Amino acid sequence: TSSLYSFIVLLLLYPYKLITHQPTPINQSTMSDTQVPGGFAKVAEPFVCGGTAASFASVIIHPIDLAKVRMQLFGQLNPGKIGPSFPALLRGMVQTDGIWSIYKGVDAAIGRQMVYGTARIGLHRTFSNKLVEKNGGKPIGFGQKALSGMASGSIAVCIGTPFDIALVRLQADSMAPVAERRNYKHVFDALIRTTTEEGVGALYKGLAPNILRGMAMNVGMLACYDQAKEISAKVLNDPMIDGPALTTP
């Protein structure tokens, strides 16, 4: 796990170094976008930063997500019984299986965010930037922001759904009766066994509602964020080119 985090940090720092490095001035008018110094770094920046942030956030909230899945499954597996509260559920898991039980499936959660989170955030920023460029550099309306969010969210879901399936299976497996447990070792074991035992289609079960969820989430989180930032900039008279304007000596 530590090596994975180190790799993520290196991925984050490398484009930052490229972006902040000031090369010798050259004539950029005859160069393509990929040839301009820092061009690739600027394209990669939202993907790398977005995926890294999503992965770290997923690690932090994983116990809450795990408890949510278990509470949702409790009623199905124990009809007529009153389910445990959120704190009681986590406390019982720690007492029974140890502290690491609340991080069951965290590798799948990280894998999902490195694919899904990277795609949905990076694509939304890329699409939005292109729309602004086509609009002559002027801010785009909320409708176009929402369209960008829906497009990027749906594409990201299609890419990341297999990891979503693996995550849910890893989280729910320990709740099944002992004789029915699949005892997945890790995320890749879940992906491989699901494919070999049930076919590739099993990795995309529930794709349609998941796409709708991804579209709605991206509009609610990213498009609304962009709109709120734009409104705040107007109210505060802040240019907000790459973030809030900070006074420096």
Side-chain angles (χ1 to χ4, degrees), residues 52-75:
T52 303
S55 297
F56 278 109
S58 187
V59 171
I60 294 172
I61 69 166
H62 186 76
I64 300 174
D65 192 49
L66 176 61
K68 177 205 70 174
V69 171
R70 291 199 167 210
M71 292 177 73
Q72 290 173 336
L73 292 174
F74 185 88

Side-chain angles (χ1 to χ4, degrees), residues 15 17-29 31-43:
K17 180 180 179 182
L18 290 177
I19 294 167
T20 55
H21 174 65
Q22 298 296 330
T24 302
I26 57 177
N27 183 9
Q28 297 182 1
S29 60
M31 303 176 65
S32 65
D33 291 341
T34 56
Q35 292 175 312
V36 175
F40 173 76
K42 292 300 292 182
V43 172

